[in-house]
């Protein structure tokens, strides 16, 4: 093992990044950072060995997104209940799991973290995290733009104690903050009483979530310790929540600043050096071009980037029964640089983001999506703009209810939901499925109304006994959707053309048909991925006889009923349409 200080490329790269962040104190900050990182080299030896044994992300991979306490079994730590669900019903078909913030918290369903290093006792302990990581590829959340006002750090700040006195951003409310990007309609600054009198601190998301001051080098070092601790405890993936906001500079949007990118690059650099194979995924719910800026060169910043454009465009395709917007976007989609890839999803604990549709969907199309959400019982969340106006930020509704009203027939609801996930599983990148989508859960309107929190609509808790009862009932809507979605995953993992970086190309066919060609990057084998976006029956002749992977038979043409789909394997020499 080469000591960290003797790795000249690493030290040189680290120095350059610190110089960008702290131009007037970078020599001493470099020394302090190296002192902070050196003890991690032996500590991460076991984690590094484990990560090196992990295969690359392939067509066999998918990820489950879930809270650690979505499934509840009375008296049992909920991480153990989750493990039982995975082992019993999912297994290798979804070999990775993203546990949303699993630490002690004060609000926002975990995103106001009190202690980054203490597992919420309802979920279990670190040994439960490590056990989960021993069987599944684990993603943990790093909520490091902000921390709970009830944290030890912020309470120390209020008392004027070191080192926490410099950990938060004090602001002058008389200054102009209109340029600052606002993801909420809540006030940006919050008044607090400190040992030195009243101060105003920066609170991007809520008064209970106080932004950290990354202009203070000790904050960056604390956060690096937190992230490396997650890797030590089994994490293969680290999600950087709201990372686009971490660096503030008055007179700018305070979003995606060069210093923010430098911090992400530094995390990647440290991971590549101390724990090669650990991957980072920035969470940036923003327009597409801003989002993909976090790829960097493909080897120096994000390993994966969220595909926030996908959920609203797939929804729009079914609302309009047309592939026009989705195909148009896919045709313009750039190849991911280097070894990076997209992280594809349709639903999550948050709503269906609308910012990614800016410049892609017309205002009328966006209004149509919002109206469908409202008609089906959901709500629309807004953000504040610099001119004082508000614009749509997200749709708060479960994905199955966004696609079909609860009054629709079981066949229609299942059909639309499965066809949407068929599209998800057909695209380049790593697919991720939210647990409520996997289980076919509808919107938790009662939880939303009782709490007054719109996002609670897709964050319901479910009894483990109820899950078992429903999934064992082959006639239930939930069970049928669940089994058929797992069937899709089983077929997908057998086809190298679904490798996350295998080429994809849109096919020019009927506008009511999602049509994509994937090509195996090794053999040249072609797969046609077809999904009917409408309730009509569509027939398509094929250029050559193909193998229908879902039906298990050879076909010369394909006929797709309402919301039906097909994966068709064509000979390698077949000409595409």
């Amino acid at each position: 093992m080469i000591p960290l200080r003797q790795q000249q490329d690493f030290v040189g790269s680290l120095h350059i990044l610190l110089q960008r962040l702290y131009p007037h104190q970078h020599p001493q900050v470099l020394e302090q950072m190296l002192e902070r990182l050196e003890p991690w080299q032996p500590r991460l030896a076991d984690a590094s060995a484990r990560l090196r044994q992990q295969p690359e992300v392939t067509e066999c991979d998918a990820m489950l997104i879930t809270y650690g306490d979505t499934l509840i079994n009375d008296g049992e730590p909920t991480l153990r209940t989750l493990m039982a669900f995975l082992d019993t019903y999912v297994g290798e078909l979804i070999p990775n799991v993203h546990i949303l913030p699993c630490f002690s918290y004060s609000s926002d369903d975990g995103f106001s973290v009190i202690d980054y290093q203490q597992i919420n006792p309802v979920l279990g302990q670190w040994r439960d995290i490590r056990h989960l990581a021993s069987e599944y590829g684990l993603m943990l959340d790093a909520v490091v733009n902000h921390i709970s006002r009830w944290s030890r750090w912020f309470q120390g700040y209020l008392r004027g104690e070191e080192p926490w006195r410099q950990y938060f951003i004090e602001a002058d409310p008389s200054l102009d903050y209109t340029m600052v990007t606002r993801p909420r309609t809540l006030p940006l600054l919050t008044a607090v009483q400190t040992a030195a009198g009243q101060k105003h601190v920066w609170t991007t998301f809520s008064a209970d979530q106080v932004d950290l001051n990354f202009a203070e080098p000790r904050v960056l070092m604390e956060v690096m310790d937190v992230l490396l601790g997650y890797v030590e405890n089994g994490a293969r993936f680290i999600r950087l929540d709201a990372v686009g906001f971490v660096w503030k500079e008055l007179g700018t949007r305070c979003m995606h600043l060069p210093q923010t990118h430098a911090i992400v690059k530094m995390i990647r650099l440290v991971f590549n050096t101390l724990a090669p194979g650990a991957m980072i995924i920035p969470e940036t719910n923003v327009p597409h071009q801003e989002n993909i800026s976090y790829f960097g060169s493909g080897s120096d910043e994000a390993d994966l980037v969220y595909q926030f454009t996908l959920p609203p465009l797939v929804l729009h395709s079914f609302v309009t029964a047309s592939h026009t917007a989705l195909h148009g976007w896919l045709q313009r989609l750039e190849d991911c640089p280097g070894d990076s890839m997209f992280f594809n999803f349709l639903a999550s604990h948050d709503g269906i983001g609308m910012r990614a549709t800016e410049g892609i969907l017309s205002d009328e199309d966006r209004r149509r999506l919002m109206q469908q959400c409202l008609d089906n019982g959901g709500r629309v969340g807004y953000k504040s703009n610099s001119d004082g106006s508000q614009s749509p930020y997200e749709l708060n509704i479960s994905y199955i209810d966004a696609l079909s009203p609860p009054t629709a027939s079981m066949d229609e609801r299942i059909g639309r939901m499965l066809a949407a996930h068929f599209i998800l599983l057909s695209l380049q990148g790593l697919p991720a499925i939210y647990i409520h989508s996997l289980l076919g859960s509808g919107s938790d309107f009662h939880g939303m109304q009782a709490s007054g929190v719109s996002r609670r609509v897709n964050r319901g808790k479910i009894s483990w006994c109820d899950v078992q009862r429903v999934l064992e009932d082959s006639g239930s809507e939930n069970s049928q959707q669940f089994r058929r979605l797992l069937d899709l995953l089983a077929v997908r993992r057998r086809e190298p053309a679904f490798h996350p970086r295998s080429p994809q190309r849109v096919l020019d066919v009927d506008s009511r048909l999602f049509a994509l060609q994937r090509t195996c990057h090794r053999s040249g084998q072609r797969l046609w991925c077809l999904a009917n976006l409408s309730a009509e029956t569509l027939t398509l002749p094929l250029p050559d006889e193909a193998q229908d992977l879902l039906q298990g038979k050879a076909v010369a043409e394909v006929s797709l009923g309402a919301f039906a789909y097909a994966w068709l394997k064509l000979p390698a020499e077949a000409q595409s349409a």
Side-chain angles (χ1 to χ4, degrees), residues 188-201:
L188 176 65
L189 306 182
T190 298
V192 295
Q193 194 64 37
T194 77
Q198 187 183 72
K199 303 290 183 182
H200 287 81
V201 292

Side-chain angles (χ1 to χ4, degrees), residues 59-60 62 89-94 414 417-419 421-422 425-426 433 437-438 471 474 477-495 498 548-552 565-567:
E59 63 276 7
C60 295
Y89 293 106
V90 178
E92 65 178 8
L93 296 181
I94 307 181
I414 293 175
M417 193 65 167
L418 286 170
H421 282 80
F422 172 90
L425 297 177
S426 297
I433 302 172
S437 295
L438 180 66
L471 293 185
S474 60
E477 174 181 333
N478 304 74
S479 179
Q480 289 187 38
Q481 180 188 298
F482 179 79
R483 303 293 177 185
R484 290 168 64 183
L485 187 48
L486 290 186
D487 288 343
L488 286 176
L489 287 161
V491 172
R492 183 185 186 276
R493 63 185 284 114
R494 296 196 293 265
E495 297 300 327
F498 287 128
D548 187 323
L549 297 179
L550 299 178
Q551 299 295 326
Y565 43 80
W567 279 325

